[in-house]
Amino acid sequence: MKYNKFWTDMHSNIHHEQMNELPVWYEHIKKQMDFWPVAYYPFYMRPTPSGLGVEDRYDDEEVARDWELLRSFTEEANRQGYPMFMGYEWQGSGLDGDHNVFFLHNNGKQEHPMRYQDLAAAYEGQEVIGIPHHLAYQPGSRGKNWDTHNETFSPIAEIYSSHGSSENDDGPLSMDRHVHMGPRTGETTYEKGLERGYKIGIIAAGDNHSIPGVFENGSMCVLAEEGTKESIWEGLTRRRTYGVSRSRIEVDYYVNSAPMGSEIEAGKEVELEFQIKGTGAVDRVEILRDNVLEEMVVHSGTWEREEQVGLIRFKFRLELGWGPDTRVYHNHLRKDWEGRLETDGKLLSAQPCWNHYGQEIVQDDDKSCSFTMTTYQSPASGKWMGAEKAATEGFIFEVEADVDSVLRLLVNGKEYLLPVRELLNSSQVMALWDEVNCLTKENWGEITHYRNDPWWHNAYKIRIGKAYPENSYKLTGKRKIRMEQSGNLRLRIWQKNGDAAWTSPVFITVKE
């Protein structure tokens, strides 16, 4: 069966003091995502008599009021036709790891037992799932406890977020942002769960506490027949899911024609196939059998020498941001942009790469995309958990045009001509020199320096990423894989720019 892809940030934590912001979160996420499971966060830092703050749950009455508000909001979103799910974060005693609990229907009740086994038992037989996240922290200190895992209640796990990667303890994308919870350890990783024999799918999600859908923090895709809550839920519970670290890499993956997340019976040889459409040049596809690299399909080096002629398809990323050092210019914390990209060919898609509020596609057709954007020097999405690296906004555009044509980019009234051949050759950065010259003069007068640091370091900039032709970001493959025993097969995909995707495994019982 051919499934459709539906995207979301499945870890948007809204706090008690943020409940009045729920409409703003909702409007922001609807611009980017196909559905939205929001997780109410019932915890706060309670001061002890001596003044030390400890994380504890809000008073039951306050939590109950917020829960009813979230229920009403979710029901109204559903009436309007948007697939929204309500949920909450459960932490218990910290011995079993943190889990987001989501409900198919809007009639669920929050449960807060101390242990995960009791949480799963409380929802037995109901259409409720509990998704573990930031798995690879210390056992007993909010890391995942695989001893108590219930794969029926928790069919999928969040292995990447703003915390980093919990896939394993020796790979890249380490968990080094949230210093109070780190470092990453090995006993609790996703791969340890697979080693235990659990059938667990994969997602990535933001773990965002101020703004939902932060591009830099990861998102997930579910494969479903249609975009209804019921169909999406079926895809989640059947583990037809995958996660991405940043951009929306499209992945289709089958073993013996069964999609990711499936359980199949097979002989000792299976046929694996995949179709990948990246957002930039795909570097390699890693085929993992029982967590060990079975084969690496290297795409780098297969396309670069092919001459690009005539009408071609290509992708590139536009980024707006940077700007004044806040230690020098304390009041310059945000910048408004108005832009438009035009082509004589066709504009095939414009994927948002948004990290904050204030972004809008004003008009979009097959010739152009008009937008307004707001960038921030100090993103709010960091909250107490550590500095947020996201300080730019933009898009990944896919264009079909003649290789000798010129794209036109208009930003804040200034036109930039972008020859396609030059885009294919290199990225480029344009500073808003007139603006930073005025800023410097207004604040510091006429100054001179033997290099341009005082201006360049404080200038807003436009970055046009290197364009990649279609043969760099599209990749298909078929492989025969020998299964010596029952196990699982999954994919890990890397782009040249470091963006990653992880598929849920296919679980194979080998028949003798």
Side-chain angles (χ1 to χ4, degrees):
M1 178 181 291
K2 179 71 173 178
Y3 294 103
N4 296 304
K5 296 180 177 68
F6 299 96
W7 291 89
T8 197
D9 171 15
M10 206 159 183
H11 196 156
S12 308
N13 279 136
I14 192 162
H15 295 233
H16 164 71
E17 66 273 15
Q18 298 168 315
M19 291 303 290
N20 64 335
E21 300 175 25
L22 186 56
V24 179
W25 286 41
Y26 177 66
E27 291 303 321
H28 183 66
I29 205 74
K30 277 201 306 180
K31 298 175 188 177
Q32 307 176 66
M33 301 298 184
D34 301 308
F35 67 102
W36 188 37
V38 62
Y40 174 70
Y41 195 82
F43 306 101
Y44 75 111
M45 299 306 291
R46 174 178 60 81
T48 61
S50 64
L52 175 67
V54 295
E55 194 167 28
D56 205 348
R57 203 166 73 249
Y58 273 106
D59 177 87
D60 288 344
E61 290 185 1
E62 285 186 305
V63 171
R65 283 194 294 269
D66 290 344
W67 192 238
E68 291 309 310
L69 192 158
L70 182 58
R71 192 193 316 278
S72 297
F73 193 97
T74 304
E75 289 177 347
E76 179 57 29
N78 295 162
R79 279 193 291 270
Q80 294 174 7
Y82 186 74
M84 180 174 172
F85 298 81
M86 62 187 298
Y88 70 98
E89 177 149 331
W90 174 87
Q91 297 177 357
S93 63
L95 296 176
D96 299 298
D98 294 3
H99 295 68
N100 283 334
V101 178
F102 292 108
F103 302 85
L104 171 57
H105 306 295
N106 302 327
N107 56 0
K109 175 188 174 186
Q110 287 191 40
E111 302 284 354
H112 289 282
M114 284 292 103
R115 297 303 303 270
Y116 170 82
Q117 306 99 306
D118 298 323
L119 179 72
Y123 293 118
E124 187 174 0
Q126 301 179 44
E127 292 177 297
V128 185
I129 57 175
I131 305 175
H133 53 270
H134 56 54
L135 314 175
Y137 286 132
Q138 185 73 4
S141 298
R142 312 265 295 278
K144 176 61 179 174
N145 182 356
W146 292 113
D147 289 340
T148 60
H149 186 69
N150 180 326
E151 66 181 34
T152 301
F153 178 58
S154 301
I156 54 180
E158 179 187 303
I159 74 161
Y160 180 83
S161 71
S162 61
H163 287 258
S165 174
S166 292
E167 181 185 14
N168 48 49
D169 62 339
D170 57 359
L173 305 174
S174 60
M175 299 169 72
D176 54 9
R177 175 184 171 203
H178 302 284
V179 293
H180 62 292
M181 295 188 71
R184 181 171 67 178
T185 187
E187 307 98 309
T188 53
T189 63
Y190 171 75
E191 291 186 351
K192 292 300 182 185
L194 289 183
E195 286 180 13
R196 297 284 195 96
Y198 291 122
K199 297 178 178 65
I200 326 154
I202 285 176
I203 68 167
D207 204 338
N208 300 310
H209 287 249
S210 295
I211 299 160
V214 176
F215 170 79
E216 294 284 349
N217 292 346
S219 59
M220 60 86 66
C221 180
V222 61
L223 308 181
E225 292 185 52
E226 55 187 9
T228 64
K229 286 185 71 172
E230 292 75 17
S231 186
I232 289 168
W233 188 264
E234 191 264 347
L236 295 172
T237 57
R238 295 294 183 90
R239 303 179 295 260
R240 290 196 305 271
T241 59
Y242 70 93
V244 298
S245 63
R246 293 201 307 169
S247 58
R248 296 183 189 180
I249 301 168
E250 296 183 37
V251 183
D252 290 290
Y253 165 57
Y254 298 88
V255 176
N256 287 3
S257 300
M260 63 183 80
S262 297
E263 299 178 53
I264 65 172
E265 290 186 348
K268 288 197 170 183
E269 186 175 77
V270 297
E271 184 174 77
L272 177 153
E273 59 181 312
F274 57 82
Q275 298 89 39
I276 295 165
K277 184 179 180 181
T279 58
V282 175
D283 181 55
R284 65 193 185 276
V285 177
E286 298 171 0
I287 301 171
L288 303 170
R289 177 165 65 88
D290 299 329
N291 297 329
V292 177
L293 181 66
E294 180 75 8
E295 183 176 349
M296 186 181 295
V297 182
V298 178
H299 192 48
S300 288
T302 67
W303 59 270
E304 289 88 342
R305 291 184 174 87
E306 292 185 23
E307 185 180 1
Q308 301 297 320
V309 295
L311 191 67
I312 66 168
R313 291 188 175 193
F314 57 93
K315 290 188 177 186
F316 70 97
R317 183 175 172 187
L318 166 68
E319 292 177 88
L320 309 174
W322 296 275
D325 186 331
T326 56
R327 296 168 298 180
V328 180
Y329 298 98
H330 308 291
N331 297 322
H332 287 263
L333 299 179
R334 56 175 285 171
K335 170 74 172 173
D336 293 326
W337 307 77
E338 183 175 347
R340 179 178 177 86
L341 179 73
E342 299 176 348
T343 175
D344 294 331
K346 290 183 180 179
L347 180 59
L348 302 175
S349 65
Q351 180 189 134
C353 304
W354 297 348
N355 296 300
H356 216 301
Y357 301 129
Q359 324 312 329
E360 193 79 48
I361 296 177
V362 178
Q363 180 266 337
D364 186 19
D365 56 40
D366 66 353
K367 293 292 184 182
S368 65
C369 178
S370 298
F371 54 86
T372 58
M373 315 214 84
T374 304
T375 58
Y376 299 81
Q377 304 305 95
S378 180
S381 52
K383 210 173 174 67
W384 69 80
M385 300 183 297
E388 176 65 82
K389 61 184 178 181
T392 67
E393 307 291 341
F395 297 92
I396 295 170
F397 292 111
E398 184 174 24
V399 179
E400 182 180 78
D402 190 279
V403 71
D404 292 310
S405 66
V406 177
L407 306 185
R408 292 170 297 281
L409 177 66
L410 189 70
V411 177
N412 289 0
K414 185 172 181 179
E415 185 180 56
Y416 302 88
L417 298 179
L418 309 175
V420 173
R421 283 201 182 275
E422 290 185 14
L423 292 179
L424 292 167
N425 183 56
S426 175
S427 61
Q428 53 187 291
V429 177
M430 292 85 78
L432 304 190
W433 287 113
D434 292 344
E435 188 172 298
V436 74
N437 285 336
C438 290
L439 180 67
T440 307
K441 186 175 182 180
E442 288 172 5
N443 285 269
W444 309 104
E446 296 285 356
I447 67 168
T448 59
H449 190 55
Y450 61 87
R451 59 184 191 220
N452 69 6
D453 292 4
W455 298 271
W456 176 256
H457 290 178
N458 295 291
Y460 286 106
K461 302 176 183 78
I462 302 166
R463 183 178 188 271
I464 311 296
K466 182 178 178 178
Y468 291 97
E470 187 177 39
N471 57 349
S472 74
Y473 58 79
K474 292 186 77 172
L475 175 63
T476 63
K478 284 187 178 182
R479 294 292 188 276
K480 298 284 188 180
I481 303 294
R482 180 79 177 172
M483 298 294 296
E484 300 299 331
Q485 59 187 12
S486 298
N488 65 80
L489 292 168
R490 60 190 173 97
L491 303 183
R492 187 195 296 128
I493 299 108
W494 293 99
Q495 295 192 159
K496 284 188 68 176
N497 62 7
D499 288 9
W502 302 265
T503 72
S504 290
V506 174
F507 301 93
I508 303 157
T509 300
V510 173
K511 297 183 296 185
E512 297 295 336

